[in-house]
Amino acid sequence: MATKVVPFYQKKHKHYDYNYRSIDSRHLVKQYTSKSSASKRATSELHTSSTTSESSRHSPRAKRICQCVVYEVPEYAVPLFTIREDEEGQHKTRSRTVLYSSELRAMEEEISRLRRSTHEHVDMLALQRMEEERAAVQRQASEDSVSRAAEFLVRLRSHTVWENSFVKLCCTVHGYPTPIVRWYKDDVYIDQTGEPGKYRIESYYGVHSLEINRCTTSDTAQYTALAFNIHGESSTTAAVIVKRFRGEEEPYHSVLLPVNLPLLSPVVFTHIDIQYIEKFGVSFGTEGETMILSCRMIITPNLGRLQPDVVWYRDDVEIKKSKWASMHYGECSATLTLPHLNKDDEGLYTLRLITRGGVSQHSAYLFVRDAEAPVVGAPGAPMDVTCHDANKDYVILTWKPPNVIKESPVIGYFVDRCEVGTDNWIQCNDAPAKICKYPMAGLFEGRSYCFRVRAVNKSGVSKPSRVTDAVTALDPADLARLHTIHLDKDRQIVICQDDLEEDVKAPGQPTNVHAAETSRNYIVLSWEPPEPRGREPLRYYIEKTMAGSASWQRVNVEIAARSPRFAIFDLAEGKSYEFRVYAVNKFGMSEPSVSTGPVVVQDRIVIPSPPGVVRSTRNTKHSVIVQWAASKAASELIGYYIDSCLVRTNDWQPCNHKPVKYTRFVVHGLKTGHKYIFRVKAVNAVGMSELSQESEPIVVQAALTGPSSPYGITLLDCANDSMTLGWKEPRFTGGSDITGYYVDHREITDLHWHESNIKAITATVYKVENLKEGSFYEFKVSATNLGGVGVPSESSRPFKCEAWTMPQPGPTYDLTFCEVRNHSLVILWKPPIYTGSSPVTGYTVDICEASSEEWRTVTEEAVTNRYLKITELEEGKSYIFRVCAVNVAGAGKASEPSEPVLIQARPGTKEITTGVDAEGNIYMSFECHDITDASQFAWSKSYEGITDLSKFTIETEGEKSKLIFKHLDMADLGTYSVAVSDTDGISSSYILEKKELERLKALSHEIRHPTIPLKHELSYEVFDKGQVRFWLQAESVSADANCKFIVNDLELTDSQDHRITFDKSTGIIEMVMEQFTSKNEGTYTIQVQDGKAKNQSSLVLIGDAFKAALAEAEFQRKEFLRKQGPHFAEYMHWHVTHECEVEFICKVANTQNETEFAWYKDIAAVVPEEPPNVQTGECKLHVSEFSKKNVGEYKMTLKDTRGQDITVLDVAGKVYEEIVQEMSRISGMSASELKIHCTPEGIRLQSSLKYYMEDMKVFWYHKESKIASSEKMRIGGSFDQVWMQICEPTERDKGKYTMEIFDGKTSYKRNLDLSGEAYAEAYTEFQRLKAAAFAEKNRGKVIGGLPDVVTIMEGKTLSLTSTVFGDPTPEVTWLKNDKDLDLNDHLSATLEQGKYASLTIKGVSTEDSGKYGINVRNKYGGETIDVTVSVYKHGEEIPLIKRGVQKAPEPPKASPSASPPQAAKPAEPPKSSKFGRQEFGKKK
């Protein structure tokens, strides 16, 4: 699809909610013209300004409109150049009056006058524009026809140089396309790989150079630079002459310069040099983090008026300042801050410093990883969301898909939009978009929007992408229809194309209707507005039909399109459609446009084919260069994703998180020494290709380069005409072994260096001869390897050539450091070459902090070894060291001070480990992950290289090296060390001590003389039938293993009595003895052998051990026989239920219907509540309310024709105690909180529980003091309750009370605080009950004597006598039929001794039959007892009479405040009779 770049006014437009062509158009015009008004303001003439305005319409800035200065009062308005109807004119006039006030009305006449001249001027401008366009086309054609062959602007110049120096040839080339430059030596093409390090060819912004290092006479030749492109070629030639220096041919010395030479002219800087002292490197970040890239540099000369222009680039695109990036430069430091990383920020970042002397730049890659997904398994966020083809209500969005490795594939994308000024994000598509492109419709004209995209897979939705810049829904054609005419004095006229057209009402047909974008989900139609379009706003309606059909269907029925773009969804994939468009304004609808012709609903692009062969090459210690062949079929390719994987892990990781378009990529962040494979996949808007083939595995190592420079040049000995020098090896070899060194020297008065050796030397000590005595010399050393000659060392300090004669020794040299840890290091050195007048007897070591100049001696006495471990150093500090040799004459010259050494352990430092391999060899091992191909493991003993290979073997494989001892003995004790070359000083040491040596030798002996490990030693077990099994199990044995079974020194073989088996798959050896008797006492041994490995295990069965085994065998034999008939599978045991009921349970087996079950307790038969459960075999005897009475022997028997069995449980002693404890546990857990219950005797504290018995351990405490049962404190309980009675409580009885139930293990406590209001209420209730009880005890009552029924014959005398009680003596009243009885001679009553009451009836008759009652009462109350009297006549049968009903006594109603009993008033008798009835307990 042909996309359009979003114009500037749509990116910067302010949010408007109204039509920009309405009354507020003046503000919109000022918005768009503000940027160019300043440049237009200087032009004063009308013709010049108009010409400039018209010509700008064909430039990239054609759509920028100028405005007048905002503070000036405008003298004109936007004129209308067409005649309106009177009504419309009047309306417009009134609108202008409102908008522009009185000043604008005064200008109407001037505008009318200018209207005609403007028409003429516009016609002239149109003709002029056409002429300029024709001329521009001809000029472009003329320029294209001109050949742009390569041309040398600056040609090569010849050079004459000295041997072993370097020369650089430079030239500048111009041409289009950019020419290619090749270099030739005497017409032979120069290949840099032919002589590595010899030639260096560079090309930089059209400047090409050839640098020749260490020139020799053979380099004297004619050099040619050939530049060519498609239009031709050009060449330039220069000669290089290399001269060999001889002493007598020394060119000049400063001392030979004539004294009358003029002074040098002032320095004129023709070149500005920039050196970076700090540079940003390859960086890794995560989405959402802040990243800062910075560089510090030294600028020479650093002049304020010559400061460089600082420009930052990402992937060669300049980075502009925004909310996503900010730049700063000052004080020779350039910084780029990315405040919120997104994957959009990934790429190659370049800092370019542009000066008058050229361009200096530095580049490094920034990788941005995906942030943690909101849902596990969700994909990463899309990136680079871009808006295209924006219009009034439409915009197309494109984006790049995320890289998916471990997550499930992306199935689509959700597009969200947000109106500027709000935070309301709206999802625009209900179904995920399948491709990375989406047409967004339904926008509101004049409003600004931001967009974002989210990826979807089956696990969930990703985080949203970075939000796009604000885009305004405007039609670019509307702005193109505005014309600006510039007048003098910054005045201008803005007119619209509509005003120049005729009065058009109904619009014409849209033209050029075509499918701008097709996919299987939608089609985007595009067309040109009708010409002329008219002044009124246009709307569009689209119709569709199946190809070949004449039935048209309206697509956008409800909402008309406002821009000449429209996306149509809901089409059938693979079908052909035709489309046409109508234009509509308020005057009517146009004729339909011409049909588009058949348009197929299908993807225009397909998924790309997989990339070709993937190759990887070494780059650095942490990076690899990956190259691949481009995909053969890749339409609209977005780029490639690269994945990496450690070999044999199948753990693929993304190398880049943003697609790259080129076919070469440097993968960073890899582990040194590890082996990786790579794969690539291509990406376009439809999706990702299949994976490419995996690359060949590659080990991450640095590419081959020249070695680093040697350092630490020291003068070791000096004669009259020679000096002996020593130096340290380069820290890094460049990927291959050092093959030699070159030494150069010069006198300090000489400007040129001279070779000291022609042929490379291999040692780090060299004697330079043929020197001048008394002269001062400087030296420098270069190392060489297969990659070429490395960078030379820094110049040494000047040394004087004069013979040494001092008696003290010369300096030591080659100070090296190893085993640098957080608080220690080891220093090594080499002995002096010059020993003085006597041999060296020792060495002293001095130390100095790097920030100080104060030296102190580490060694109290001179050490004889040439190494020393220095401890108690401060972590994080840097130290400098020097070493002095000592002989009889004293301490000699100190060595050159070492370089500063930082006391800090290197991250990931490993130490030497010891062990024994599978062959029994004792070894020391060391592993290093930072090795290169040139790295070597150097093993030492006492820091002296191991050369005696008769005692050691060194094996190195990959990152691990082993020092193997051939015959380890006491002479091998000592310190062993290893150092890894071509690393940053990686080393370690190990002190082999006697104890460790003995352990290693024992382990080695065990491996060389192996034993078969046993999982289980020899043991026995008894089977159910009384058989005895002897067995053991070995860890693992082979199929060739064999065994022997020996009993009492007699080998047994497999037989019926002794069955012996050996399962070699499990390693189990067993022997089963059918009959184990007293004859089998003795020692049992199993011997097993598997190749060289042997082992045996013995079991001694003698004495008590044998008796126990024999008893168990006999028991099992008897048990087997017992189980042939009915028997107990589980013997009787007890169980306490949750309701504190005891069950005696046993389980039977092998029973039949005729089997008899019987329960007994102490020989007495017991019938259980539940019969035995035949199915489960369970039998239960239930005992409720368990107590001491249930102690005894419980027994159950089984019996039938096959045999009998018995189980007994003695419930006494410990068994009884355990049952009580279990019941205590259940009751304790169920106990309620303590409650108060008052009685006449006192206050009772009680707790309800499931069951209580006397043998439970229940304790009571008052204020943490244990309470014993007494008359004062009575402790007791009932079936479901436990209580404590406080008799006659007093103030001393207040406080906290605790009840504790102890089950033998756990205490269950319940507490109550009896004080304050609780005590007061309880005490009051106690007093009330006490008074009531006293009254009940002393009230009047009948305590005996009267029957319930009396039958008597007529005519006889009846005497009813009863005993009464009361204190004081009660009053007695007799009743008949509940009425007071009138006493007379027939009826008489007596009360003797205050307790015997009698009623006598003389000569009873039938009239005396009835219910009689005696009422006994005193001041505390009373009661009435009834007796029924039946009188029958002589000769009649004795009648059956119902018993009278005795009325229960009423309790006395005493109040808590009642006075004591002696203070109570006596009750008054009823008024009718002193024996009359009264209510019991009623107080008068």
Side-chain angles (χ1 to χ4, degrees), residues 1145-1167:
I1145 305 172
C1146 58
K1147 186 175 287 188
V1148 299
N1150 198 17
T1151 60
Q1152 297 178 347
N1153 292 334
E1154 60 271 14
T1155 302
E1156 298 177 0
F1157 301 85
W1159 286 89
Y1160 301 91
K1161 178 182 181 278
D1162 296 334
I1163 307 177
V1166 179
V1167 178

Side-chain angles (χ1 to χ4, degrees), residues 417-545:
R417 79 179 184 208
C418 177
E419 192 170 338
V420 173
T422 69
D423 293 328
N424 184 24
W425 285 96
I426 301 173
Q427 183 173 307
C428 302
N429 53 328
D430 296 330
K434 301 297 182 182
I435 63 176
C436 299
K437 190 179 296 183
Y438 186 78
M440 177 70 65
L443 306 180
F444 292 94
E445 183 178 0
R447 298 188 183 182
S448 300
Y449 297 89
C450 295
F451 302 92
R452 70 184 188 188
V453 182
R454 294 171 293 148
V456 187
N457 65 3
K458 67 179 183 180
S459 298
V461 183
S462 74
K463 287 189 174 182
S465 66
R466 173 177 282 179
V467 178
T468 64
D469 293 335
V471 175
T472 306
L474 291 175
D475 187 357
D478 288 349
L479 274 298
R481 296 173 67 83
L482 295 177
H483 304 280
T484 303
I485 301 175
H486 296 274
L487 305 177
D488 57 346
K489 296 183 180 179
D490 295 334
R491 293 185 300 169
Q492 55 189 12
I493 298 176
V494 180
I495 61 176
C496 182
Q497 184 69 29
D498 296 345
D499 298 327
L500 304 179
E501 296 176 352
E502 297 180 359
D503 191 7
V504 178
K505 293 188 176 180
Q509 295 177 343
T511 58
N512 191 24
V513 182
H514 63 282
E517 178 71 26
T518 62
S519 75
R520 58 181 175 177
N521 299 317
Y522 62 86
I523 287 178
V524 177
L525 288 184
S526 178
W527 60 87
E528 299 292 336
E531 290 291 342
R533 57 179 288 177
R535 297 182 178 89
E536 300 300 327
L538 288 178
R539 301 289 186 270
Y540 302 95
Y541 288 97
I542 297 91
E543 291 185 346
K544 70 177 180 181
T545 182

Side-chain angles (χ1 to χ4, degrees), residues 547-715:
S549 173
S551 176
W552 291 91
Q553 178 183 359
R554 181 69 57 84
V555 175
N556 55 335
V557 178
E558 298 180 356
I559 302 176
R562 292 177 303 212
S563 60
R565 304 284 188 277
F566 192 78
I568 305 173
F569 294 87
D570 300 327
L571 301 176
E573 183 179 355
K575 300 293 184 179
S576 295
Y577 293 86
E578 295 185 19
F579 304 91
R580 65 185 185 185
V581 182
Y582 291 88
V584 181
N585 63 10
K586 75 174 185 178
F587 296 108
M589 180 180 294
S590 71
E591 293 295 324
S593 67
V594 178
S595 171
T596 59
V599 179
V600 181
V601 182
Q602 62 183 9
D603 287 329
R604 185 169 55 85
I605 59 177
V606 296
I607 295 177
S609 61
V613 179
V614 181
R615 295 183 175 89
S616 56
T617 54
R618 289 165 51 178
N619 186 41
T620 68
K621 294 173 66 174
H622 301 287
S623 64
V624 166
I625 299 175
V626 180
Q627 295 174 293
W628 60 91
S631 299
K632 295 182 179 179
S635 55
E636 297 189 15
L637 181 70
I638 294 177
Y640 298 93
Y641 278 123
I642 302 96
D643 304 332
S644 66
C645 176
L646 278 167
V647 174
R648 293 190 297 274
T649 63
N650 199 30
D651 181 20
W652 289 94
Q653 298 293 334
C655 298
N656 60 321
H657 305 84
K658 180 179 177 182
V660 294
K661 284 194 172 181
Y662 29 86
T663 58
R664 180 182 182 273
F665 189 75
V666 181
V667 180
H668 291 273
L670 305 178
K671 296 180 180 179
T672 305
H674 288 67
K675 189 176 290 186
Y676 287 84
I677 54 177
F678 301 89
R679 66 186 185 190
V680 185
K681 50 194 171 188
V683 183
N684 66 4
V686 178
M688 296 188 185
S689 70
E690 295 181 359
L691 296 170
S692 68
Q693 294 182 354
E694 297 174 358
S695 68
E696 292 294 327
I698 184 172
V699 178
V700 180
Q701 297 287 0
L704 186 64
T705 61
S708 61
S709 59
Y711 62 101
I713 300 176
T714 304
L715 178 62

Side-chain angles (χ1 to χ4, degrees), residues 1066-1267:
T1066 61
I1068 295 178
I1069 306 172
E1070 66 177 7
M1071 178 184 69
V1072 179
M1073 300 182 68
E1074 293 293 335
Q1075 296 293 331
F1076 191 72
T1077 64
S1078 58
K1079 298 180 180 180
N1080 299 118
E1081 184 176 4
T1083 301
Y1084 294 76
T1085 302
I1086 294 181
Q1087 296 178 349
V1088 57
Q1089 183 174 359
D1090 186 5
K1092 294 182 179 180
K1094 299 178 181 180
N1095 206 340
Q1096 73 175 27
S1097 181
S1098 299
L1099 177 65
V1100 178
L1101 290 181
I1102 299 175
D1104 294 339
F1106 174 75
K1107 291 177 181 178
L1110 182 61
E1112 184 180 358
E1114 292 178 350
F1115 172 77
Q1116 292 295 342
R1117 190 179 303 110
K1118 291 178 181 179
E1119 280 290 292
F1120 174 75
L1121 296 175
R1122 181 180 69 86
K1123 292 179 181 179
Q1124 302 308 305
H1127 63 276
F1128 289 97
E1130 293 182 7
Y1131 289 106
M1132 188 187 302
H1133 59 278
W1134 58 268
H1135 172 69
V1136 180
T1137 67
H1138 291 293
E1139 299 301 325
C1140 279
E1141 295 179 345
V1142 179
E1143 293 178 342
F1144 298 107
I1145 305 172
C1146 58
K1147 186 175 287 188
V1148 299
N1150 198 17
T1151 60
Q1152 297 178 347
N1153 292 334
E1154 60 271 14
T1155 302
E1156 298 177 0
F1157 301 85
W1159 286 89
Y1160 301 91
K1161 178 182 181 278
D1162 296 334
I1163 307 177
V1166 179
V1167 178
E1169 296 178 2
E1170 299 179 13
N1173 189 330
V1174 179
Q1175 292 182 350
T1176 62
E1178 191 172 63
C1179 302
K1180 292 184 180 180
L1181 178 62
H1182 186 79
V1183 179
S1184 59
E1185 297 185 13
F1186 184 83
S1187 63
K1188 279 189 176 180
K1189 67 180 181 180
N1190 300 111
V1191 173
E1193 183 182 78
Y1194 290 81
K1195 178 171 64 176
M1196 184 180 181
T1197 60
L1198 298 174
K1199 185 178 182 181
D1200 61 14
T1201 57
R1202 296 171 299 162
Q1204 64 178 4
D1205 201 1
I1206 186 172
T1207 177
V1208 178
L1209 178 62
D1210 187 9
V1211 181
K1214 186 176 181 181
V1215 175
Y1216 175 78
E1217 182 180 348
E1218 290 175 350
I1219 295 175
V1220 172
Q1221 289 176 351
E1222 178 63 15
M1223 296 174 70
S1224 300
R1225 184 187 67 84
I1226 297 173
S1227 296
M1229 294 176 64
S1230 66
S1232 67
E1233 294 297 328
L1234 290 178
K1235 297 180 180 178
I1236 300 174
H1237 176 70
C1238 296
T1239 66
E1241 290 80 13
I1243 300 175
R1244 176 178 291 182
L1245 307 181
Q1246 62 187 26
S1247 173
S1248 299
L1249 38 73
K1250 288 189 175 180
Y1251 184 70
Y1252 172 72
M1253 59 181 297
E1254 293 181 354
D1255 291 333
M1256 288 184 179
K1257 295 181 179 180
V1258 180
F1259 307 102
W1260 289 86
Y1261 299 89
H1262 179 218
K1263 298 179 181 178
E1264 307 301 332
S1265 298
K1266 190 173 182 181
I1267 302 173

Side-chain angles (χ1 to χ4, degrees), residues 935-1161:
S935 296
Q936 293 182 354
F937 292 84
W939 288 90
S940 304
K941 182 181 180 184
S942 299
Y943 297 98
E944 295 288 342
I946 295 177
T947 57
D948 186 5
L949 299 182
S950 62
K951 300 195 65 175
F952 304 96
T953 300
I954 298 176
E955 294 181 359
T956 301
E957 182 177 355
E959 300 176 349
K960 185 178 290 187
S961 179
K962 285 184 178 181
L963 176 67
I964 301 174
F965 296 86
K966 293 183 178 180
H967 304 288
L968 186 63
D969 52 29
M970 291 298 176
D972 294 317
L973 298 177
T975 301
Y976 292 84
S977 61
V978 61
V980 185
S981 63
D982 205 35
T983 62
D984 191 14
I986 296 178
S987 56
S988 180
S989 65
Y990 185 86
I991 300 176
L992 183 61
E993 298 177 341
K994 181 179 179 181
K995 184 177 180 180
E996 177 67 9
L997 182 142
E998 293 175 350
R999 185 188 71 83
L1000 293 172
K1001 291 184 69 175
L1003 183 58
S1004 174
H1005 181 271
E1006 183 177 346
I1007 293 175
R1008 290 178 175 176
H1009 304 86
T1011 59
I1012 300 175
L1014 300 179
K1015 282 186 178 180
H1016 295 284
E1017 295 287 343
L1018 180 60
S1019 59
Y1020 76 92
E1021 61 179 336
V1022 180
F1023 290 163
D1024 292 343
K1025 295 183 181 181
Q1027 301 164 319
V1028 179
R1029 172 182 178 247
F1030 296 89
W1031 68 283
L1032 66 75
Q1033 184 177 11
E1035 287 281 354
S1036 61
V1037 293
S1038 66
D1040 298 330
N1042 57 75
C1043 68
K1044 294 180 180 180
F1045 215 112
I1046 301 172
V1047 178
N1048 295 331
D1049 299 330
L1050 178 63
E1051 183 179 352
L1052 301 182
T1053 58
D1054 188 19
S1055 64
Q1056 287 295 111
D1057 296 334
H1058 308 88
R1059 288 176 297 161
I1060 300 175
T1061 59
F1062 188 0
D1063 187 349
K1064 297 175 183 178
S1065 62
T1066 61
I1068 295 178
I1069 306 172
E1070 66 177 7
M1071 178 184 69
V1072 179
M1073 300 182 68
E1074 293 293 335
Q1075 296 293 331
F1076 191 72
T1077 64
S1078 58
K1079 298 180 180 180
N1080 299 118
E1081 184 176 4
T1083 301
Y1084 294 76
T1085 302
I1086 294 181
Q1087 296 178 349
V1088 57
Q1089 183 174 359
D1090 186 5
K1092 294 182 179 180
K1094 299 178 181 180
N1095 206 340
Q1096 73 175 27
S1097 181
S1098 299
L1099 177 65
V1100 178
L1101 290 181
I1102 299 175
D1104 294 339
F1106 174 75
K1107 291 177 181 178
L1110 182 61
E1112 184 180 358
E1114 292 178 350
F1115 172 77
Q1116 292 295 342
R1117 190 179 303 110
K1118 291 178 181 179
E1119 280 290 292
F1120 174 75
L1121 296 175
R1122 181 180 69 86
K1123 292 179 181 179
Q1124 302 308 305
H1127 63 276
F1128 289 97
E1130 293 182 7
Y1131 289 106
M1132 188 187 302
H1133 59 278
W1134 58 268
H1135 172 69
V1136 180
T1137 67
H1138 291 293
E1139 299 301 325
C1140 279
E1141 295 179 345
V1142 179
E1143 293 178 342
F1144 298 107
I1145 305 172
C1146 58
K1147 186 175 287 188
V1148 299
N1150 198 17
T1151 60
Q1152 297 178 347
N1153 292 334
E1154 60 271 14
T1155 302
E1156 298 177 0
F1157 301 85
W1159 286 89
Y1160 301 91
K1161 178 182 181 278

Side-chain angles (χ1 to χ4, degrees), residues 815 817 825 827-829 843-848 855-863 865-870 880-886:
L815 272 64
F817 303 91
L825 58 74
I827 180 173
L828 301 92
W829 60 88
Y843 303 91
T844 60
V845 179
D846 299 336
I847 185 173
C848 173
W855 290 89
R856 61 183 176 87
T857 302
V858 177
T859 55
E860 296 180 358
E861 297 181 356
V863 295
N865 298 322
R866 293 197 301 275
Y867 64 88
L868 180 66
K869 183 171 185 178
I870 304 175
I880 301 173
F881 300 87
R882 66 185 183 189
V883 180
C884 296
V886 178

Side-chain angles (χ1 to χ4, degrees), residues 29 250 344 495 659 740 832 921 924 978 1070 1109 1421 1463:
V29 171
E250 188 174 28
D344 308 54
I495 61 176
N921 297 317
M924 290 184 179
V978 61
E1070 66 177 7

